[in-house]
Amino acid sequence: MNTTLRAGVVIGLCGVGTLLAKRTLNGKTVWQLDPSKCVQCGRCATSCVLTSSAVKCVHVYEICGYCDLCGGYLKPEVKDLNTAAENQLCPTSAIRRKFVEEPFFQYDIDEKLCIGCGKCVKGCGAFGNGSLQLQVRHNICVNCNQCSIAINCPADAFRRVPENNSNLLKGFTK
Amino acid sequence: MSKKLISIFLFLLLIFSGIDSMAKQRFPKPEFEKKYTVPDTQIPASRALWLEYFDVFMLVICLSVVTWFVLKKRSRLGVLSVSVFSIIYFGFYRKGCVCAVGSMQNITLGLFNTEYHIPLTVIAFFIIPLLFTLFFGRTFCAGVCPLGAIQDIVALRSISLKKWVQAMLGLIPFVYLGLAILYAATSTDFVICRYDPFIGIYRLNASFLMFSIGAILLLMGIFIARPYCRFLCPYGVLLNWVSRISKKHLTITPAECIDCRLCEDSCPFGAIQIPTPEKIRENRFITVKRLMFFCIVIPLLIFLGGWTGSRFYENLSMVNLKVRLANELLMSKNEANESQSIEITTFKSQGKPEEKLYSEASVIVKQFYSGGWILGGFIGLVFGLTLAQLTFVHYQKGYTPNKGTCLSCGRCMDYCPVKKGEK
Amino acid sequence: MRQKIIIAVSLLLFFLVIYLITKDFFSNHAKNEENPTEYNLAKLRSIDSSQFCYKESRHFKLSMKGLNAIVIDSAYRIFIAGENEVQVLDSSLNKLLDFTTDSTADAIFFSNNKIYLAIQNHVEIYDMKGKRVQKRNPYLNSSFITSLVAENNRLYVADAANNVVLCYNEDGSLKSIIGKKDSLKGEQGFIIPSMYFDIALGQYNDLWIVNPGKHLLMNYNEKGDLRTSWGLASMQLEGFSGCCNPAQLAILPDGSFVTYEKGMERIKIYDQTGKYKCVVAGESDFNSKAINNFRLDAMVNDIATDLNGTVYVVDAVSDVVRMYVKK
């Protein structure tokens, strides 16, 4: 009797396995954030299971305007246009500003300092071209079965994407 | 008024897509005079795919090694060393994810939701331990599961529990299993992953709640061995059932049992079945009467359980984000604009029609209603069967481990004085 | 005895774990927590009511959707370009003319009984019967025309993709290019980070060009020589906010400037010398639900003035035209 049960279990497991394997994608999927839905609520910085969130601000240089008065870099009420810490929007001072030529400046993000709060994203989107966007960085993300930021996102902006096309950046051409 | 705004927003969405084609979103790069190349946006790659398949390979290797240690070599030390290796590899190196315990939810989600693409490695992590258990007993629990291994290491001063306490606590995994399946099937949440007690330790990084759960269970695990495995693990329910019909299983004695009773107190998990003396044979008539009693009581319990489960369907469904949002939206109609939560303001600014959300939410709530009935009925059935099992006495000769609850750790094997080949 | 205590305590702890898990699972946690890094755009965009010197007199919808560009002629006729269509209304909003275009016009101007339309990279001219009279060649295939004005048999075309203003003769031949980068002449060119580049005719029919990247309004003669310029980069009311503003420009008959800034979403009046006067409309006027969000598109697509000093605003959020008069 046991043998028949055993055979039944084996068949059942293999059946379930093949049924689900048919629907599998090639390769694996990873979590990603859709910047067009993001509302910069700040929960990416606090909800990740890792202390330093896997969501970071990414700069799409292709659509940056290289402006002097950068909406994502400077606080709105600055008196002098310089890189002093009290003028910077970023709470961890993770944006570096480099002079290119008059009047263009290049803005880079130091990912080690970025906490993924989205403040610069909001500023850039409101007053600039929207070239600063939040994205999940897959060299940090541990790819949890259930992303704890995804369930806290008010805009439902997280979804799974295939690993070989894992960014949802707007304006970015590979 | 709000309907008009919603239609305006829907319309704006159309404009938005139209404007894209109008090329108003084309942003030319500033023309730089000096030689300047616009830097590339870096996209770092995630963990290589072949490494994921390598994990499956390691799973098979570890299972084979631990099975060999349990069945052929009969070495507790061997099992212990595999446990330590699993803690290092599947625990600290892979950070405890993906694991077989959680994979059950992915399978459930895959069966109920046709849009979900389940990775092959997850299917493998679900099926392979079950197959090994089907043929060799719960060797997965012995040395491969990282959650089990870490509890096994701290089980130093185990105290055995009374049989009825163990049986009652043994109901909790069924509840957990039922809830996990219910929430995975409705695409709400992966409960097991969310409240995995030891993943915080393996990641070396956890919220206060996760850390406390893990610490309490490990502390408790010193005295009551493997509390998560015995009283919480939902995958353990499946392994329990499968192990009962396993082809081969761990045996305490390599040859025939001589009833020396040395192994009686050796199991920290209370899984050793004591042989029943001949004189306690029960009257057949009483057995039949008891059987009839349970034939009435168990269906009653199933119905009672199902009915209770269905009463709670609203509370259960509130965990689902869509249901919660729909509820908040309904309640916010009476409140002022300023006190609205960010979910409500975001939803309204996205311009999706409210009716769609309400209809989706009500579909999910109906699923929870039927799910509540099934869950409750299932618990009722299990409760009834557990009661029945407590009242029936097993007739057996010699000391053997309970095929369902034995975790194949091998501690008992060292206590047995019988040498292989002896009669 | 000691064993019993240990068992009791352990079981108590176990049920504590279960209680903690259930409580956390069913509670509505982290839903209304304050965002410590919040960038409150609504507060930033709010304008004190004392700064408003204009009020909305009326607003009107058209049968046309996707309103994009607007101009008013000296007879108070309203010319509006919408989605693949152009309509002309009289001052009582009766439709005088309605014709379709190949695609939505980004700018519109009326002069000498001809309607000039900026369609993608080239200019098209229609007559007052709705018939296309001429379809001109683009300056470059990559051009993107955001504004055009006609004056004294010359047509000035603002090409935002190539950062220049082109000056055409009546027959369509190119007369001169304003703003071409020339290091010998010290001409830096116009800085245009996003596709908003507006030009307008001043009090004396002189040409005013917005340089959005430098937050300047510049006055040129037809030869391309700079006469004067003014402007200030600042988030405060006196200046132009963001990276590239003002996005739209219109000039009142008395020479005052009407400017629209995207991002901050405000329409302001500056006097003839470039000194800030007051506010025409702020974000609250556009009925937008996205108060604390950003929109990558501007809320206003175009502004225009008539000889009476009324300001016309194309509200992209509600797809209406709003008219503002002095308080």
Side-chain angles (χ1 to χ4, degrees), chain A residues 2 6 10 13 20-21 23-25 27-28 39 41 43 49-51 58-61 66 100-101 104 106 137-139 144-146 151 155 163 172, chain B residues 30 32-34 36 38-39 41-42 44 46-47 49 52 106 110 113-114 117-120 123 127 134 189-190 193 203 205 245 247 321 342-343 346 350:
Chain A
N2 269 358
R6 240 177 272 133
V10 172
L13 282 177
L20 293 173
R23 269 190 252 134
T24 213
L25 284 174
K28 69 175 195 186
V39 290
C41 65
R43 286 192 190 158
V49 291
L50 303 174
T51 316
V58 175
H59 194 190
V60 183
Y61 294 98
Y66 286 79
V100 177
E101 64 182 35
F104 299 126
Q106 179 182 316
R137 294 315 241 173
H138 297 112
N139 51 342
C144 296
N145 215 0
Q146 168 75 290
I151 43 180
E163 184 220 0
F172 177 66
Chain B
F32 297 102
E33 278 174 2
K34 303 188 210 146
Y36 171 79
V38 174
T41 307
Q42 300 291 328
S46 62
R47 194 163 185 259
L49 188 63
E52 311 279 325
N106 297 57
N113 185 343
T114 46
H117 303 282
I118 185 169
L120 286 171
I123 302 179
I127 291 187
L134 188 62
D189 199 358
F190 282 168
C193 297
R203 284 195 195 120
N205 195 333
I245 53 175
K247 193 154 198 247
L321 288 172
I342 189 173
E343 277 84 8
T346 315
Q350 280 174 345

Coordinates of all heavy atoms in Angstrom, one line a residue, chain A residues 2 6 10 13 20-21 23-25 27-28 39 41 43 49-51 58-61 66 100-101 104 106 137-139 144-146 151 155 163 172, chain B residues 30 32-34 36 38-39 41-42 44 46-47 49 52 106 110 113-114 117-120 123 127 134 189-190 193 203 205 245 247 321 342-343 346 350:
Chain A
N2 N 1.9 1.2 0.8 CA 2.8 2.3 0.9 C 3.4 2.6 -0.5 O 3.6 3.8 -0.8 CB 3.9 2.1 1.9 CG 3.5 2.6 3.3 OD1 2.4 3.1 3.4 ND2 4.3 2.3 4.3
R6 N 3.4 6.1 -2.4 CA 4.7 6.7 -2.8 C 4.7 7.0 -4.3 O 5.1 8.1 -4.7 CB 5.9 5.7 -2.5 CG 6.8 6.3 -1.5 CD 7.9 5.3 -1.2 NE 7.6 4.5 -0.1 CZ 7.8 3.2 -0.1 NH1 8.3 2.6 -1.1 NH2 7.4 2.5 1.0
V10 N 5.0 10.8 -6.0 CA 6.1 11.1 -7.0 C 5.4 11.7 -8.3 O 5.8 12.7 -8.8 CB 6.9 9.9 -7.4 CG1 7.8 10.2 -8.6 CG2 7.7 9.4 -6.2
L13 N 4.0 15.2 -7.5 CA 5.1 16.2 -7.5 C 5.6 16.5 -8.9 O 5.8 17.7 -9.2 CB 6.2 15.8 -6.6 CG 6.0 15.8 -5.1 CD1 7.2 15.3 -4.3 CD2 5.7 17.3 -4.7
L20 N 4.2 23.9 -13.6 CA 4.7 25.2 -13.3 C 6.0 25.5 -14.1 O 6.2 26.7 -14.5 CB 5.0 25.3 -11.8 CG 3.8 25.2 -11.0 CD1 4.2 25.2 -9.5 CD2 2.9 26.4 -11.2
A21 N 6.8 24.5 -14.5 CA 8.0 24.8 -15.2 C 7.7 25.3 -16.6 O 8.4 26.0 -17.2 CB 8.8 23.5 -15.3
R23 N 5.5 27.4 -17.3 CA 5.3 28.8 -17.3 C 6.5 29.6 -16.9 O 6.4 30.8 -16.7 CB 4.1 29.1 -16.3 CG 2.8 29.1 -17.0 CD 1.7 29.6 -16.0 NE 0.9 28.5 -15.6 CZ 0.5 28.4 -14.3 NH1 1.0 29.2 -13.4 NH2 -0.3 27.4 -13.9
T24 N 7.6 29.0 -16.8 CA 8.7 29.7 -16.2 C 9.4 30.5 -17.3 O 9.3 30.2 -18.5 CB 9.7 28.7 -15.6 OG1 10.3 29.3 -14.5 CG2 10.8 28.3 -16.6
L25 N 10.0 31.7 -16.9 CA 10.7 32.5 -17.9 C 12.1 32.0 -18.0 O 12.6 31.4 -17.0 CB 10.7 33.9 -17.4 CG 9.4 34.8 -17.6 CD1 9.6 36.1 -17.0 CD2 9.1 34.9 -19.1
G27 N 15.8 32.3 -17.4 CA 16.5 33.2 -16.5 C 15.7 33.5 -15.3 O 14.6 33.1 -15.2
K28 N 16.2 34.4 -14.5 CA 15.5 34.7 -13.2 C 15.0 36.1 -13.3 O 15.3 36.9 -14.2 CB 16.4 34.5 -12.0 CG 17.5 35.6 -11.9 CD 18.3 35.4 -10.7 CE 19.1 36.6 -10.3 NZ 20.0 36.4 -9.2
V39 N 6.1 58.2 -6.4 CA 5.7 59.5 -5.8 C 6.7 60.0 -4.8 O 6.4 61.0 -4.1 CB 4.3 59.4 -5.2 CG1 3.2 59.2 -6.3 CG2 4.2 58.3 -4.2
C41 N 7.8 58.9 -1.9 CA 7.3 59.0 -0.5 C 8.3 58.8 0.5 O 8.0 59.1 1.7 CB 6.2 58.0 -0.4 SG 6.8 56.3 -0.5
R43 N 9.6 55.9 1.5 CA 9.6 54.6 2.1 C 10.7 53.7 1.6 O 11.0 52.7 2.3 CB 8.2 54.0 2.0 CG 7.2 54.7 2.8 CD 5.9 53.9 2.9 NE 4.9 54.7 3.5 CZ 3.6 54.5 3.3 NH1 3.2 53.6 2.5 NH2 2.7 55.3 3.9
V49 N 14.8 45.6 3.8 CA 15.3 44.7 4.9 C 16.8 45.0 5.2 O 17.2 44.8 6.3 CB 15.1 43.2 4.6 CG1 13.7 42.9 4.6 CG2 15.7 42.8 3.3
L50 N 17.5 45.5 4.2 CA 18.9 45.9 4.5 C 18.9 47.3 5.1 O 18.1 48.1 4.8 CB 19.6 45.9 3.1 CG 19.6 44.6 2.3 CD1 20.2 44.8 1.0 CD2 20.3 43.5 3.1
T51 N 19.9 47.4 5.9 CA 20.0 48.7 6.6 C 20.2 49.9 5.6 O 19.6 50.9 5.7 CB 21.2 48.7 7.6 OG1 21.2 47.5 8.3 CG2 21.1 49.9 8.6
V58 N 19.5 57.0 -9.4 CA 20.3 56.8 -10.5 C 20.2 58.0 -11.4 O 19.1 58.5 -11.6 CB 19.9 55.6 -11.3 CG1 20.6 55.4 -12.5 CG2 20.0 54.3 -10.4
H59 N 21.3 58.5 -12.0 CA 21.3 59.7 -12.8 C 21.3 59.2 -14.3 O 22.3 58.6 -14.7 CB 22.5 60.6 -12.5 CG 22.3 61.9 -13.1 ND1 23.3 62.9 -13.1 CD2 21.3 62.5 -13.7 CE1 22.9 64.0 -13.7 NE2 21.7 63.8 -14.1
V60 N 20.3 59.6 -15.1 CA 20.3 59.3 -16.5 C 20.9 60.5 -17.2 O 20.2 61.4 -17.5 CB 18.8 59.0 -17.0 CG1 18.9 58.6 -18.5 CG2 18.2 57.9 -16.2
Y61 N 22.2 60.4 -17.4 CA 22.9 61.6 -17.9 C 22.3 62.0 -19.3 O 22.4 63.2 -19.6 CB 24.4 61.3 -18.1 CG 25.1 61.1 -16.8 CD1 25.3 59.8 -16.3 CD2 25.5 62.1 -16.0 CE1 25.9 59.6 -15.1 CE2 26.2 61.9 -14.8 CZ 26.4 60.6 -14.4 OH 27.0 60.4 -13.2
Y66 N 22.1 69.6 -17.3 CA 23.4 70.2 -16.8 C 23.3 71.6 -16.3 O 24.2 72.4 -16.4 CB 24.5 70.1 -17.9 CG 25.0 68.7 -18.2 CD1 24.2 67.8 -19.0 CD2 26.2 68.3 -17.7 CE1 24.7 66.5 -19.2 CE2 26.6 67.0 -18.0 CZ 25.9 66.1 -18.7 OH 26.3 64.9 -19.0
V100 N 31.8 71.6 -15.7 CA 32.2 71.1 -17.1 C 32.7 72.3 -17.9 O 33.8 72.5 -18.2 CB 31.1 70.4 -17.8 CG1 31.5 70.0 -19.2 CG2 30.6 69.2 -17.0
E101 N 31.7 73.2 -18.2 CA 32.1 74.5 -18.9 C 30.9 75.4 -18.7 O 29.8 74.9 -18.3 CB 32.3 74.2 -20.4 CG 31.1 73.8 -21.1 CD 31.3 73.5 -22.6 OE1 32.5 73.0 -22.9 OE2 30.5 73.7 -23.4
F104 N 27.5 74.8 -17.7 CA 27.1 73.4 -17.5 C 27.8 72.7 -16.4 O 29.0 72.9 -16.2 CB 27.3 72.5 -18.8 CG 26.5 73.1 -20.0 CD1 27.1 73.4 -21.1 CD2 25.1 73.2 -19.8 CE1 26.4 73.8 -22.2 CE2 24.4 73.7 -20.9 CZ 25.0 74.0 -22.1
Q106 N 28.2 68.9 -14.2 CA 27.9 67.5 -14.2 C 27.5 67.1 -12.8 O 28.2 67.4 -11.8 CB 29.0 66.7 -14.7 CG 28.7 65.2 -14.7 CD 29.9 64.4 -15.2 OE1 30.5 64.8 -16.2 NE2 30.2 63.3 -14.6
R137 N 19.1 48.6 -7.0 CA 20.4 48.2 -7.5 C 20.6 46.7 -7.2 O 20.6 46.3 -6.1 CB 21.5 49.0 -6.8 CG 21.5 50.5 -7.2 CD 21.3 50.8 -8.6 NE 22.4 51.5 -9.2 CZ 22.5 51.8 -10.5 NH1 21.6 51.3 -11.3 NH2 23.5 52.4 -10.9
H138 N 20.9 46.0 -8.3 CA 20.9 44.5 -8.0 C 22.1 44.0 -7.5 O 22.2 42.8 -7.2 CB 20.4 43.8 -9.3 CG 19.1 44.2 -9.7 ND1 18.8 44.9 -10.8 CD2 17.9 44.0 -9.1 CE1 17.5 45.1 -10.9 NE2 16.9 44.6 -9.8
N139 N 23.2 44.8 -7.4 CA 24.4 44.2 -6.8 C 24.2 44.3 -5.3 O 25.0 43.7 -4.5 CB 25.6 45.0 -7.2 CG 25.4 46.5 -7.1 OD1 24.3 47.0 -7.0 ND2 26.5 47.2 -7.1
C144 N 14.7 39.2 -2.3 CA 13.8 38.5 -1.4 C 12.6 38.0 -2.2 O 12.1 38.6 -3.2 CB 13.2 39.5 -0.3 SG 14.4 40.1 0.8
N145 N 12.0 36.9 -1.7 CA 10.8 36.3 -2.3 C 9.7 37.3 -2.3 O 8.9 37.5 -3.2 CB 10.4 35.1 -1.5 CG 9.9 34.0 -2.4 OD1 9.8 34.2 -3.6 ND2 9.5 32.9 -1.8
Q146 N 9.6 38.1 -1.1 CA 8.6 39.1 -1.0 C 9.3 40.4 -0.6 O 9.8 40.5 0.5 CB 7.6 38.7 0.1 CG 6.7 39.7 0.6 CD 5.6 40.0 -0.4 OE1 5.7 40.5 -1.5 NE2 4.4 39.6 0.0
I151 N 5.6 46.0 -0.7 CA 4.2 46.0 -0.1 C 4.0 47.3 0.6 O 2.8 47.6 1.0 CB 4.1 44.8 0.9 CG1 5.3 44.6 1.8 CG2 3.8 43.5 0.2 CD1 5.2 43.5 2.8
A155 N 2.3 53.7 -4.4 CA 2.0 53.9 -5.8 C 2.0 52.5 -6.5 O 1.8 52.5 -7.7 CB 2.9 54.8 -6.4
E163 N 15.9 39.4 -15.5 CA 17.2 39.8 -15.0 C 18.1 40.5 -16.1 O 18.8 41.4 -15.8 CB 17.9 38.6 -14.5 CG 19.3 38.9 -13.9 CD 20.3 37.8 -14.2 OE1 19.9 36.9 -14.9 OE2 21.4 38.0 -13.8
F172 N 16.3 56.4 -20.8 CA 17.6 55.7 -20.9 C 17.5 54.7 -22.1 O 16.7 53.8 -22.1 CB 17.9 55.0 -19.6 CG 19.1 54.2 -19.6 CD1 20.4 54.9 -19.7 CD2 19.1 52.8 -19.5 CE1 21.5 54.1 -19.7 CE2 20.3 52.1 -19.5 CZ 21.5 52.8 -19.6
Chain B
P30 N 23.2 69.0 -23.9 CA 23.8 70.3 -24.2 C 25.0 70.2 -25.0 O 25.7 69.2 -25.0 CB 24.1 70.8 -22.8 CG 23.5 69.9 -21.8 CD 23.2 68.6 -22.5
F32 N 28.5 70.7 -25.8 CA 29.7 71.1 -25.1 C 30.8 71.5 -26.1 O 31.0 70.8 -27.1 CB 30.2 69.9 -24.2 CG 29.2 69.5 -23.2 CD1 28.4 68.4 -23.3 CD2 29.0 70.3 -22.0 CE1 27.5 68.0 -22.4 CE2 28.1 69.9 -21.1 CZ 27.3 68.8 -21.2
E33 N 31.4 72.5 -25.7 CA 32.5 73.0 -26.6 C 33.7 72.1 -26.4 O 34.3 71.6 -27.4 CB 32.8 74.4 -26.3 CG 31.9 75.4 -27.0 CD 32.1 76.8 -26.6 OE1 33.0 77.1 -25.8 OE2 31.3 77.7 -27.1
K34 N 34.1 72.0 -25.1 CA 35.4 71.2 -24.9 C 35.0 69.7 -25.1 O 33.9 69.3 -25.2 CB 35.8 71.4 -23.5 CG 36.1 72.8 -23.1 CD 36.7 72.9 -21.7 CE 36.3 74.1 -21.0 NZ 36.2 74.0 -19.6
Y36 N 34.0 66.6 -24.2 CA 33.4 66.0 -23.0 C 32.5 64.9 -23.4 O 31.6 65.1 -24.3 CB 32.6 67.1 -22.3 CG 31.7 66.6 -21.2 CD1 32.2 66.4 -19.9 CD2 30.3 66.4 -21.4 CE1 31.4 65.9 -18.9 CE2 29.5 66.0 -20.4 CZ 30.0 65.7 -19.2 OH 29.2 65.3 -18.2
V38 N 29.5 62.4 -22.3 CA 28.5 62.2 -21.3 C 28.7 60.8 -20.7 O 28.8 59.8 -21.4 CB 27.1 62.3 -22.0 CG1 26.0 62.0 -20.9 CG2 26.9 63.7 -22.5
P39 N 28.8 60.8 -19.4 CA 29.1 59.4 -18.8 C 27.9 58.5 -19.0 O 26.7 58.9 -19.1 CB 29.3 59.8 -17.3 CG 28.8 61.1 -17.1 CD 28.8 61.8 -18.4
T41 N 25.2 55.8 -17.8 CA 24.5 55.4 -16.6 C 24.8 53.9 -16.3 O 24.6 53.1 -17.2 CB 23.0 55.6 -16.7 OG1 22.7 56.9 -17.2 CG2 22.3 55.4 -15.4
Q42 N 25.4 53.6 -15.1 CA 25.8 52.3 -14.8 C 24.6 51.4 -14.4 O 23.8 51.9 -13.6 CB 26.8 52.3 -13.7 CG 28.1 53.1 -14.0 CD 28.9 52.4 -15.0 OE1 28.9 51.2 -15.1 NE2 29.6 53.1 -15.9
P44 N 24.4 47.9 -12.6 CA 25.1 46.8 -12.1 C 24.3 45.5 -12.2 O 23.1 45.5 -12.1 CB 25.3 47.1 -10.6 CG 24.2 48.0 -10.3 CD 23.9 48.8 -11.5
S46 N 23.1 41.6 -11.4 CA 22.8 40.9 -10.2 C 23.5 39.6 -10.2 O 24.4 39.3 -11.0 CB 21.3 40.6 -10.1 OG 20.9 39.8 -11.2
R47 N 23.2 38.7 -9.2 CA 24.0 37.4 -9.1 C 23.8 36.6 -10.3 O 22.7 36.5 -10.8 CB 23.4 36.7 -7.9 CG 24.2 35.6 -7.4 CD 23.8 35.2 -6.0 NE 24.7 34.2 -5.5 CZ 24.4 32.9 -5.4 NH1 23.2 32.5 -5.8 NH2 25.3 32.0 -5.0
L49 N 23.3 33.7 -13.0 CA 22.3 32.7 -13.0 C 22.8 31.3 -12.7 O 22.2 30.5 -12.0 CB 21.5 32.7 -14.4 CG 20.3 31.8 -14.4 CD1 19.3 32.3 -13.5 CD2 19.8 31.8 -15.8
E52 N 22.7 30.3 -9.2 CA 21.5 29.9 -8.6 C 21.3 28.4 -8.9 O 20.9 27.6 -8.0 CB 20.3 30.6 -9.3 CG 20.4 32.1 -9.4 CD 20.1 32.8 -8.0 OE1 19.2 32.3 -7.4 OE2 20.7 33.7 -7.7
N106 N 5.5 30.0 -3.3 CA 5.6 30.3 -4.7 C 4.9 29.3 -5.5 O 4.2 29.6 -6.5 CB 7.1 30.2 -5.1 CG 7.9 31.3 -4.4 OD1 7.9 31.3 -3.2 ND2 8.6 32.1 -5.1
G110 N 1.9 30.1 -8.0 CA 2.0 29.6 -9.4 C 0.8 28.8 -9.8 O 0.3 28.9 -10.9
N113 N -2.3 31.6 -9.8 CA -2.2 32.8 -10.6 C -1.4 32.5 -11.8 O -0.2 32.2 -11.8 CB -1.5 33.9 -9.7 CG -1.4 35.2 -10.5 OD1 -1.7 35.3 -11.6 ND2 -1.1 36.2 -9.7
T114 N -2.1 32.4 -13.0 CA -1.4 32.0 -14.2 C -0.4 33.0 -14.7 O 0.4 32.6 -15.5 CB -2.4 31.7 -15.3 OG1 -3.3 32.9 -15.3 CG2 -3.2 30.5 -15.1
H117 N 5.4 33.9 -13.0 CA 6.4 33.0 -13.5 C 7.3 32.5 -12.4 O 8.0 33.3 -11.8 CB 7.2 33.8 -14.5 CG 6.4 34.3 -15.6 ND1 6.0 33.6 -16.7 CD2 6.0 35.6 -15.8 CE1 5.3 34.4 -17.5 NE2 5.2 35.6 -17.0
I118 N 7.3 31.2 -12.1 CA 8.0 30.7 -11.0 C 9.4 30.3 -11.5 O 9.5 29.6 -12.5 CB 7.3 29.6 -10.3 CG1 8.0 29.2 -9.1 CG2 7.0 28.4 -11.2 CD1 7.2 28.3 -8.2
P119 N 10.5 30.7 -10.9 CA 11.8 30.2 -11.4 C 12.0 28.7 -11.2 O 11.4 28.1 -10.3 CB 12.8 31.0 -10.5 CG 12.0 32.0 -9.9 CD 10.6 31.6 -9.8
L120 N 12.8 28.1 -12.1 CA 13.0 26.7 -12.0 C 13.7 26.3 -10.7 O 13.4 25.2 -10.1 CB 13.9 26.2 -13.1 CG 13.2 26.1 -14.5 CD1 14.2 25.9 -15.6 CD2 12.1 25.0 -14.5
I123 N 11.1 25.7 -7.9 CA 10.4 24.5 -8.1 C 11.3 23.3 -7.6 O 10.9 22.4 -6.8 CB 10.1 24.2 -9.5 CG1 9.2 25.3 -10.1 CG2 9.3 22.9 -9.7 CD1 8.8 25.1 -11.5
I127 N 10.6 20.6 -4.7 CA 10.4 19.1 -5.0 C 11.5 18.2 -4.4 O 11.2 17.2 -3.9 CB 10.2 19.0 -6.5 CG1 8.9 19.6 -6.9 CG2 10.3 17.5 -6.8 CD1 8.6 19.4 -8.4
L134 N 10.6 11.3 0.7 CA 9.7 10.2 0.3 C 10.4 8.9 0.4 O 9.9 7.8 0.6 CB 9.2 10.5 -1.1 CG 8.1 9.5 -1.7 CD1 6.9 9.6 -0.8 CD2 7.8 9.9 -3.1
D189 N 0.4 38.0 0.1 CA 1.6 38.2 0.8 C 2.3 36.8 1.0 O 1.6 35.8 0.9 CB 1.3 38.7 2.2 CG 2.5 39.4 2.9 OD1 3.6 39.3 2.3 OD2 2.3 39.9 4.0
F190 N 3.6 36.8 1.2 CA 4.3 35.6 1.5 C 4.6 35.6 3.0 O 5.6 36.2 3.5 CB 5.6 35.5 0.7 CG 5.4 35.1 -0.7 CD1 6.5 35.2 -1.6 CD2 4.2 34.6 -1.2 CE1 6.3 34.8 -2.9 CE2 4.1 34.2 -2.5 CZ 5.1 34.3 -3.4
C193 N 7.9 34.0 4.6 CA 9.1 34.8 4.3 C 9.1 36.0 5.3 O 10.1 36.4 5.8 CB 9.2 35.3 2.9 SG 9.3 33.9 1.7
R203 N 21.2 37.3 7.7 CA 21.6 38.5 6.9 C 22.5 39.4 7.8 O 23.0 40.4 7.3 CB 20.3 39.3 6.6 CG 19.6 38.8 5.4 CD 18.6 39.8 4.9 NE 17.6 39.2 4.1 CZ 16.3 39.2 4.3 NH1 15.8 39.8 5.4 NH2 15.4 38.6 3.5
N205 N 21.3 41.5 9.9 CA 20.7 42.7 9.6 C 19.2 42.5 9.8 O 18.6 41.7 9.0 CB 20.9 43.1 8.2 CG 20.6 44.6 7.9 OD1 19.8 45.1 8.6 ND2 21.3 45.2 7.0
I245 N 5.3 7.6 4.7 CA 5.3 6.5 3.7 C 6.6 6.3 3.1 O 6.8 5.8 2.0 CB 4.2 6.7 2.6 CG1 4.4 8.1 2.0 CG2 2.8 6.6 3.2 CD1 3.5 8.4 0.8
K247 N 10.3 5.0 2.0 CA 10.8 3.6 1.8 C 11.7 3.2 2.9 O 11.6 2.2 3.5 CB 11.5 3.6 0.4 CG 11.7 2.3 -0.1 CD 11.8 2.3 -1.6 CE 11.6 0.9 -2.1 NZ 12.6 0.2 -2.7
L321 N -3.6 44.3 0.2 CA -3.4 45.8 -0.1 C -4.6 46.4 -0.8 O -5.0 47.5 -0.5 CB -2.1 46.0 -0.8 CG -0.8 45.8 0.0 CD1 0.4 45.9 -0.9 CD2 -0.7 46.8 1.1
I342 N -1.2 58.9 2.3 CA -0.5 59.1 1.0 C -1.0 58.1 0.0 O -1.0 58.3 -1.2 CB 1.0 59.0 1.3 CG1 1.8 59.4 0.0 CG2 1.5 57.6 1.7 CD1 3.2 59.5 0.1
E343 N -1.5 56.9 0.5 CA -2.0 55.9 -0.4 C -3.2 56.5 -1.2 O -3.3 56.3 -2.4 CB -2.4 54.6 0.3 CG -1.3 53.7 0.6 CD -0.6 54.0 1.9 OE1 -1.1 54.9 2.5 OE2 0.4 53.4 2.1
T346 N -2.1 59.3 -3.6 CA -1.4 58.7 -4.8 C -2.4 58.0 -5.7 O -2.4 58.2 -6.9 CB -0.4 57.7 -4.3 OG1 0.3 58.2 -3.2 CG2 0.5 57.3 -5.5
Q350 N -3.3 59.0 -9.6 CA -3.0 58.1 -10.7 C -4.1 58.0 -11.7 O -4.0 57.6 -12.8 CB -2.6 56.7 -10.2 CG -1.2 56.6 -9.7 CD -1.0 55.3 -9.1 OE1 -1.9 54.6 -8.7 NE2 0.3 55.0 -8.8

